[in-house]
Each structure stands twice: as C-alpha cells, then as structure tokens.
Amino acid sequence: MKKLSIIYIFIILLNINCATLYTLSEEMLPLSKRLFSPNSTIRENAIKEFMALDVKGKEKVLLEIVDILKNEKDADTQKRIITALIELKAGSYIIIPLLEVVKQNADIKSYFDIIKLLNSIEPEAEKIVFKLADFLKDDKWEVRMLVLSVVRKMAKKSEILVPEIIKTLQKFGDEPERFNFIFDTLSMIEPEIAISQLILEIKNKSEGIRKNTVEKLIELQANLSPKLKIKKEINTGLLRVLFSEEGVLTKIVKDTLYKIDDKELKMEYEKYLELSRGAVSGIARMVGSSLQDVFSSQEEKLKKKMKDYFEKIGRQDAIKDMIK
C-alpha cells in the first residue's frame, strides 16, 4: 500500500513537472507565436511586451505572424492568428504578404475572418494598388475575392484595376453571388462604367453570365432614377435582349420577371417591356433603320466609352484585349 502511495505521488509530481515544463517552453517561444497562444496568461504577457515595442518593432512582429499563417493548417490556430492581427491593429503593410500567404496555403479555412481583418485596415492605395493587379489574375477565386475586398476600401483610388476586375467578372461571373460581389465592387469605383460594361456582357459566351447580367439590368432599371442618362442605355440593353434572335436571352428575361414576388412591380415591368418593344419598333421604322442597327449603334458607343475610360486611367495596354 505504501509502495502504491509513493507511485501515485511520483505520477502527480511528474504531471506537475511536465505541465511546468510545457508552460516554460511556451514562454520561451518567439513573441510572434506567443501573441496568439491559446494560453491567456502567456498571450496577455506577450501583448504587454508587444506594446512596449516601437513602430518598426511592432511591424516586424506582425509580419512574422502573417508568415506563420503560410504553413498553418489547423483552423483554430488560423483563427487565433487572424484575431491577433486584428486586435493588435496590423496596418496596410501586411496586405500584400497576407495575399501571398493565401495564394500559397491551400488549407486556409478562415476566409471570412481574413475579410474581417482586411476590413479593419485602411489600405495605403499608392503603395499597394499596382501590386494588387497580379493577384487579380490568380486562378483561385478566394485570392481575387480578398483583393476585391481591399479594392472596396480604396474605391476610386483603385480605378487602374478596372480591366482586371472586368476579367474577374468574365471568369467567375457564372455564379450569381460572385457576379454581384464583383459588379458591386466595380460600381464603387465608377458606377456608369460598371453599368456600361454590364450591358456589353449581354453578348458574353457564358449563359450564366448573360443570365446574371440581365437580372442585374432589370434590378437597375427598377431602382435607378429616370433622370440618369445611363438609364436610357439600360432600357435599350433590355430591349436588345427581347429582340435578340437568340431565344435563350429572351427566356432569361421572362424567367427573371417570373421570379419577381411583387405582383404590381411585375405588371409594371411587363407593361414597360411591351410598350418599349412597340416604341423602338416605331422609332426604327421612322429613321429607316433596323432594330439591329439601333443595338449595334449602342454597342459601338459603349465600346468607345470604355476605350476612352481606359485611356483616361492610363490603361491603354488593356484596350486591345478588353474591347473587341
């Protein structure tokens, strides 16, 4: 019995020593790792140490934390890392390294948390906007999604990225949620250009993108002020869909109208579309032009508008590839 008691005491002491050694070993980790420790005491002490650093010292430690995320596969640890970056008020300097990490780590599970982190940062557009262009060419939607989140914070200051954002719409716009996210981002930069490009997407090869385009045009037609000049372009774009020889586009309009829950609004749409059909037919007869001429004229005007805009933002390099 006495021997058993000694064994139990030995085991208890061993466990206490192991716990102590574990705590001591964690306390000896670099500051960057202690700042997202699951041990609240170690984390709090690390934060005090971090707060005593100068600006350059803090920046160095936060960049080390971002780099740790590159090889981290555990979802809980990823979340703690991102939370630490938010709480420690990481600055614009982490944006590009963070996007590099997302490109490299196929096991990132905390995209929503990363968006929260990016939304907590005021990006310095002049320092990062040109570097963002390469990330907007990445094959991974999640990378582009995060870049678009940054672009939303910069809005007009990121207009040089408009060609890449349009390409993103054309690559990932089949899914309605992604389509709307990309279009809304483009609208935050230059609303009229976003709508002009949207009308041009009526001819996109992807049925999914055409469908999402028409649904968005109908939404805009319902909500935009009639005083806006672009409203006329939207109306002509919708008419172009109705008069298209391709039955798929007409079906998309009908399917979209069918989805509208508001019966009064639905009736107004149907009235508008029928009246517009007759009006444009009459105009076309009066000027001796075919409807196709009317729509071709609109397309040429919109292409010229996009060309002029690309020149204005210094993206002449994108004209040949984007405007065909």
Side-chain angles (χ1 to χ4, degrees):
M1 190 74 176
K2 194 171 182 181
K3 286 183 180 178
L4 284 173
S5 297
I6 293 170
I7 291 169
Y8 285 141
I9 292 168
F10 177 76
I11 291 170
I12 290 167
L13 288 172
L14 183 64
N15 285 337
I16 290 171
N17 285 334
C18 285
T20 305
L21 285 170
Y22 176 78
T23 303
L24 287 172
S25 65
E26 192 172 4
E27 286 177 343
M28 294 174 69
L29 289 172
L31 176 58
S32 54
K33 290 190 175 182
R34 285 183 279 129
L35 282 166
F36 59 88
S37 169
N39 183 310
S40 59
T41 302
I42 289 174
R43 190 170 64 252
E44 285 167 13
N45 289 334
I47 290 171
K48 288 177 185 176
E49 187 179 335
F50 174 82
M51 296 308 291
L53 298 173
D54 60 18
V55 174
K56 285 291 181 186
K58 288 177 180 176
E59 183 175 320
K60 178 176 179 292
V61 170
L62 292 173
L63 285 171
E64 286 174 3
I65 294 176
V66 172
D67 192 59
I68 292 168
L69 188 61
K70 181 168 59 184
N71 298 310
E72 184 56 59
K73 295 182 179 181
D74 179 67
D76 182 60
T77 306
Q78 288 178 9
K79 193 175 185 69
R80 283 190 283 105
I81 288 172
I82 295 162
T83 299
L85 290 168
I86 294 172
E87 291 177 348
L88 298 171
K89 301 188 186 311
S92 182
Y93 52 84
I94 74 156
I95 291 175
I96 300 302
L98 182 63
L99 291 172
E100 285 288 357
V101 163
V102 175
K103 277 185 68 171
Q104 294 176 44
N105 189 344
D107 294 299
I108 293 288
K109 300 175 180 71
S110 304
Y111 290 109
F112 177 75
D113 295 309
I114 293 174
I115 288 177
K116 278 177 62 179
L117 168 59
L118 291 172
N119 286 339
S120 74
I121 298 170
E122 286 303 322
E124 297 177 66
E126 65 280 1
K127 292 184 179 180
I128 67 169
V129 69
F130 292 100
K131 296 176 183 177
L132 292 176
D134 285 338
F135 293 103
L136 279 173
K137 296 171 186 171
D138 198 86
D139 288 334
K140 200 173 174 182
W141 160 249
E142 288 79 9
V143 173
R144 297 205 201 193
M145 173 187 68
L146 294 177
V147 177
L148 293 174
S149 298
V150 176
V151 166
R152 284 167 171 245
K153 298 275 288 183
M154 300 189 296
K156 190 76 174 175
K157 292 179 181 177
S158 55
E159 64 181 359
I160 199 163
L161 299 174
V162 165
E164 283 74 26
I165 297 172
I166 291 172
K167 285 287 189 184
T168 299
L169 182 79
Q170 293 167 341
K171 182 176 177 65
F172 293 99
D174 284 81
E175 293 184 25
E177 190 175 340
R178 292 181 180 181
F179 180 94
N180 289 324
F181 186 76
I182 301 163
F183 174 78
D184 290 346
T185 305
L186 199 54
S187 297
M188 290 178 183
I189 300 171
E190 185 55 71
E192 191 164 323
I193 288 299
I195 295 170
S196 297
Q197 183 62 39
L198 192 64
I199 297 167
L200 290 172
E201 295 301 331
I202 288 172
K203 290 181 69 176
N204 193 290
K205 292 178 181 178
S206 163
E207 184 176 331
I209 291 177
R210 293 198 304 273
K211 182 176 184 296
N212 294 332
T213 295
V214 170
E215 289 181 345
K216 180 59 71 174
L217 286 173
I218 289 178
E219 178 189 324
L220 292 168
Q221 195 282 328
N223 295 311
L224 290 181
S225 166
K227 295 179 181 179
L228 295 174
K229 289 182 180 178
I230 196 68
K231 185 77 173 270
K232 181 182 176 183
E233 300 293 350
I234 293 171
N235 293 346
T236 305
L238 287 171
L239 290 171
R240 180 176 170 184
V241 173
L242 285 177
F243 282 97
S244 171
E245 293 178 3
E246 183 188 353
V248 173
L249 292 178
T250 304
K251 184 177 183 301
I252 289 170
V253 175
K254 290 178 180 176
D255 287 347
T256 304
L257 291 173
Y258 183 76
K259 288 180 183 177
I260 298 172
D261 294 326
D262 188 325
K263 290 181 180 178
E264 289 185 13
L265 180 59
K266 197 171 187 178
M267 286 174 65
E268 286 301 313
Y269 268 139
E270 289 169 350
K271 264 193 241 174
Y272 157 74
L273 292 168
E274 285 305 314
L275 287 171
S276 298
R277 183 193 291 267
V280 173
S281 296
I283 292 168
R285 284 195 297 271
M286 284 172 64
V287 298
S289 302
S290 68
L291 283 171
Q292 191 56 49
D293 291 336
V294 173
F295 301 143
S296 294
S297 173
Q298 180 195 40
E299 187 171 346
E300 289 307 310
K301 286 177 184 175
L302 290 174
K303 284 182 177 180
K304 185 180 184 307
K305 182 190 285 189
M306 297 304 295
K307 177 178 178 292
D308 292 344
Y309 179 73
F310 287 160
E311 288 177 347
K312 176 191 161 192
I313 64 174
R315 290 301 307 271
Q316 291 89 338
D317 60 299
I319 293 172
K320 187 176 179 182
D321 184 41
M322 299 294 297
I323 303 171
K324 298 172 184 177

